[in-house]
C-alpha cells in the first residue's frame, strides 16, 4: 500500500515539475519587465482638485539616505552613552565602585576627527560679540540658571555691565570672596572639583581613579638646554626620578576640574618661581569627569600650557589643559603665548624660557597671585616635588574653591 502511494506521488511530481519551472520563468520575466519599465518612467505632473502633484520614478524610493542614517546612528549611540552615564551615577549613589570602560582606538579617532578647534575658535569669536543692552540680562540669566553661577561673589553684580559673554566668563570676584589660606603651603589655584591626587608612581599619573596617563607624554621630553627648568638627568633612571631633585622627596600630583559655572581665573598655588613654559597644540576634547573616565591619556591629547619652575622643596609645575570651547588659555605675564592657532604640527610643542641674561631667576609668583584664565571651564594639573611627609587635605570628588588648602607638611 505504501509503495503504491509513493509511486503515485512520484508520477504527480513528474507532471507538475515542468509546469512549476515554466511558471517561475514567467514570473521572473514579468517582474524584470516591470522593473525596467519603472526605470524608464519620467518625472510627470498631474492635477487634482487640491494641488499639483509631482511623481518621480519608483527607483528613487529605494535610494539610501546617508544623512538620516548618520543622524539615527549617531543619536542612538549618544543615547546609549547617556544611559551608561546615568547608570554609573546611580551605582555611585549606592556606594558601588564602577570599573572604568575605556574608549577604543576607533572611538578616540572618531572623536578627534570632529573639528573642535574650529568650533572653539568660532565660539571665541561669538563670545566677543557685543550684546544689545536689553539682551544681556536674559542671556546671562539663562547661563546663571543653567550652570549655577553665584553672582553675589562677583565684583560687579549688575549683568548689564558685561558687554559680551567673554567679559562675563572672565568676571572678577570680590576681594573677600576667596580668602587665601596662610597655614598651608599649597592652596587650590582655582574653583573646581578634585578629580584625583596623590603620589606619582611608575611614571604614570591618574587623571581619575583607574585611568592613567604618561608623565613624560604630559610634560614632554626632557631637554638638556641650560635655560630650561628640568633638572639634569642622572646616568640612569625613570623620567620621574629625573624630576625629583632632592634625596628623600616624592613626586605628587593633583587634578582640578573647572566646570562652566565656576570662577574661570586661576592663581598661583604657592610661592614659587616660573622659569619655563611649554605649549602643546593639540585636540580640544571635553575634559569633564565622564570623558576623563572614558578616554585614556585624555590630557595628553588636548592642547595644554605647562609652566615649570621651583619652589622651596624642589620641582614645581602647573598645567592649564584646554577643552572644547576653551581653546584660549591666557597667562598674564606671557604675551608671546597664542593658543588654538589654526595650524599646528601634530605632536609638536613650543618652548619658551623666562630665564634671561638680565633675569637669572625667572618669574617670581606669590601664593594667591593672579596667574591666568580660561574662557570657559577646563582643568588644572599640579605636579610637584615635596618631602615624604607631605599630606593632602582632600577627598576625591569634593568641591573646592580658590584659596582653600590642598595640602601641607
Amino acid at each position: 500500500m505504501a509503495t503504491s502511494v509513493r509511486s503515485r506521488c512520484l508520477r504527480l511530481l513528474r507532471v507538475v515539475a515542468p509546469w512549476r519551472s515554466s511558471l517561475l520563468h514567467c514570473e521572473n520575466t514579468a517582474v524584470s519587465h516591470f522593473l525596467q519599465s519603472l526605470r524608464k518612467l519620467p518625472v510627470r505632473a498631474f492635477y487634482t482638485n487640491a494641488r499639483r502633484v509631482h511623481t518621480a520614478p519608483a527607483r528613487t524610493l529605494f535610494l539610501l539616505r546617508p544623512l538620516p542614517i548618520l543622524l539615527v546612528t549617531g543619536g542612538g549611540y549618544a543615547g546609549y552613552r547617556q544611559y551608561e552615564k546615568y547608570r554609573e551615577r546611580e551605582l555611585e549613589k549606592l556606594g558601588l565602585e564602577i570599573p572604568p570602560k575605556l574608549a577604543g582606538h576607533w572611538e578616540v579617532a572618531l572623536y578627534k576627527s570632529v573639528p573642535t578647534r574650529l568650533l572653539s575658535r568660532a565660539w571665541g569669536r561669538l563670545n566677543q560679540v557685543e550684546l544689545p543692552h536689553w539682551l544681556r540680562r536674559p542671556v546671562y540669566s539663562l547661563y546663571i540658571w543653567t550652570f549655577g553661577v553665584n553672582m553675589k561673589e562677583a565684583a560687579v553684580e549688575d549683568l548689564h555691565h558685561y558687554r559680551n559673554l567673554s567679559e562675563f566668563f572672565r568676571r572678577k570676584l570680590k576681594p573677600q570672596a576667596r580668602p587665601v589660606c596662610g597655614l598651608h603651603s599649597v592652596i587650590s589655584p582655582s574653583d573646581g572639583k578634585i578629580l584625583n591626587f596623590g603620589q606619582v608612581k611608575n611614571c604614570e599619573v591618574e587623571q581619575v581613579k583607574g585611568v592613567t596617563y604618561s608623565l613624560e607624554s604630559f610634560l614632554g621630553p626632557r631637554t638638556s638646554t641650560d635655560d630650561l627648568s628640568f633638572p639634569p638627568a642622572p646616568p640612569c633612571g625613570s623620567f620621574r626620578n629625573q624630576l625629583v631633585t632632592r634625596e628623600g622627596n616624592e613626586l605628587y600630583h593633583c587634578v582640578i576640574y573647572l566646570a562652566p559655572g565656576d570662577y574661570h581665573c586661576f592663581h598661583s598655588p604657592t610661592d614659587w618661581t616660573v622659569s619655563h613654559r611649554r605649549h602643546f597644540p593639540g585636540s580640544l576634547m571635553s575634559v569633564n569627569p565622564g570623558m576623563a573616565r572614558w578616554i585614556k591619556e585624555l590630557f595628553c591629547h588636548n592642547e595644554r600650557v605647562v609652566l615649570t619652575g621651583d619652589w622651596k622643596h624642589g620641582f614645581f609645575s602647573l598645567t592649564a589643559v584646554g577643552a572644547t570651547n576653551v581653546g584660549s588659555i591666557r597667562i598674564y605675564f606671557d604675551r608671546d603665548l597664542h593658543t588654538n592657532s589654526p595650524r599646528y604640527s601634530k605632536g609638536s610643542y613650543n618652548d619658551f624660557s623666562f630665564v634671561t641674561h638680565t633675569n637669572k631667576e625667572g618669574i617670581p609668583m606669590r601664593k594667591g597671585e593672579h596667574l591666568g584664565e580660561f574662557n570657559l571651564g577646563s582643568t588644572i594639573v599640579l605636579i610637584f616635588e615635596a618631602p615624604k611627609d607631605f599630606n593632602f587635605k582632600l577627598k576625591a570628588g569634593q568641591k573646592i574653591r580658590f584659596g582653600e588648602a590642598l595640602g601641607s607638611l
Side-chain angles (χ1 to χ4, degrees), residues 66-81:
L67 182 59
I69 292 176
L70 182 62
L71 291 176
V72 171
T73 305
Y77 181 75
Y80 171 75
R81 289 295 307 165

Side-chain angles (χ1 to χ4, degrees), residues 190-193 256-266 287 374 376-380:
S190 65
D191 290 6
K193 179 181 180 181
I256 305 171
Y257 167 69
L258 288 73
D262 288 328
Y263 170 55
H264 289 68
C265 298
F266 51 93
V287 293
F374 296 109
L376 205 60
S378 195
T379 299
I380 296 287

Side-chain angles (χ1 to χ4, degrees), residues 108-121:
V108 177
L110 182 63
Y111 189 6
K112 293 176 73 173
S113 68
V114 178
T116 52
R117 295 178 63 85
L118 178 62
L119 294 174
S120 297
R121 284 195 296 273

Side-chain angles (χ1 to χ4, degrees), residues 1 9 93 118 158 172 223 328 383:
M1 182 67 179
C9 290
K93 290 179 182 178
L118 178 62
D158 183 14
K172 304 299 181 183
T223 177
S328 175
I383 299 176

Side-chain angles (χ1 to χ4, degrees), residues 63-339:
L63 293 177
L64 294 178
R65 306 288 185 179
L67 182 59
I69 292 176
L70 182 62
L71 291 176
V72 171
T73 305
Y77 181 75
Y80 171 75
R81 289 295 307 165
Q82 290 300 320
Y83 167 73
E84 287 289 320
K85 292 178 182 178
Y86 168 77
R87 191 170 63 88
E88 290 176 2
R89 288 195 298 268
E90 293 300 315
L91 292 176
E92 285 178 353
K93 290 179 182 178
L94 297 176
L96 300 177
E97 186 173 342
I98 306 167
K101 295 181 180 179
L102 297 180
H105 293 295
W106 70 269
E107 292 174 304
V108 177
L110 182 63
Y111 189 6
K112 293 176 73 173
S113 68
V114 178
T116 52
R117 295 178 63 85
L118 178 62
L119 294 174
S120 297
R121 284 195 296 273
W123 175 251
R125 297 284 180 86
L126 179 62
N127 289 344
Q128 295 176 1
V129 175
E130 184 171 348
L131 296 177
H133 193 270
W134 61 270
L135 189 59
R136 295 174 188 177
R137 178 173 289 278
V139 170
Y140 299 147
S141 297
L142 177 62
Y143 187 91
I144 291 169
W145 176 79
T146 303
F147 297 107
V149 179
N150 184 4
M151 285 302 293
K152 293 183 179 179
E153 299 177 336
V156 181
E157 297 184 34
D158 183 14
L159 297 181
H160 293 104
H161 170 79
Y162 304 101
R163 294 173 298 176
N164 51 47
L165 286 168
S166 181
E167 288 187 2
F168 179 74
F169 294 150
R170 296 181 286 107
R171 64 193 177 276
K172 304 299 181 183
L173 298 180
K174 295 175 181 176
Q176 67 274 18
R178 296 289 186 275
V180 176
C181 178
L183 300 178
H184 296 81
S185 54
V186 183
I187 63 169
S188 175
S190 65
D191 290 6
K193 179 181 180 181
I194 301 296
L195 294 189
N196 213 308
F197 63 92
Q199 286 190 16
V200 177
K201 298 179 181 179
N202 301 323
C203 295
E204 291 288 323
V205 187
E206 282 192 326
Q207 55 193 30
V208 293
K209 188 173 182 180
V211 183
T212 63
Y213 58 93
S214 166
L215 178 64
E216 185 171 4
S217 297
F218 182 69
L219 296 179
R222 269 191 66 261
T223 177
S224 59
T225 307
D226 294 334
D227 60 355
L228 300 188
S229 65
F230 292 104
C236 61
S238 67
F239 185 81
R240 172 192 168 279
N241 294 335
Q242 296 171 15
L243 299 180
V244 177
T245 60
R246 302 180 186 180
E247 187 176 354
N249 282 359
E250 296 289 343
L251 201 63
Y252 298 87
H253 76 102
C254 183
V255 182
I256 305 171
Y257 167 69
L258 288 73
D262 288 328
Y263 170 55
H264 289 68
C265 298
F266 51 93
H267 301 246
S268 175
T270 190
D271 296 332
W272 65 307
T273 302
V274 183
S275 55
H276 177 252
R277 178 258 292 164
R278 178 170 282 170
H279 171 218
F280 290 84
S283 301
L284 288 174
M285 295 185 284
S286 172
V287 293
N288 66 56
M291 297 302 296
R293 282 192 295 266
W294 188 49
I295 299 179
K296 182 178 175 62
E297 297 200 339
L298 172 63
F299 300 154
C300 297
H301 290 297
N302 272 17
E303 181 161 8
R304 59 198 182 277
V305 176
V306 182
L307 301 178
T308 54
D310 296 282
W311 72 317
K312 60 183 178 181
H313 298 296
F315 174 79
F316 198 96
S317 72
L318 180 149
T319 302
V321 183
T324 305
N325 296 334
V326 198
S328 175
I329 303 171
R330 183 182 175 192
I331 305 298
Y332 294 138
F333 58 77
D334 189 356
R335 296 182 179 179
D336 295 323
L337 176 64
H338 300 285
T339 57

Side-chain angles (χ1 to χ4, degrees), residues 35 38-43 56-64:
L35 292 176
L38 284 178
R39 293 190 184 99
K40 296 178 181 178
L41 284 175
V43 177
R59 58 181 176 176
T60 59
L61 301 177
F62 301 100
L63 293 177
L64 294 178

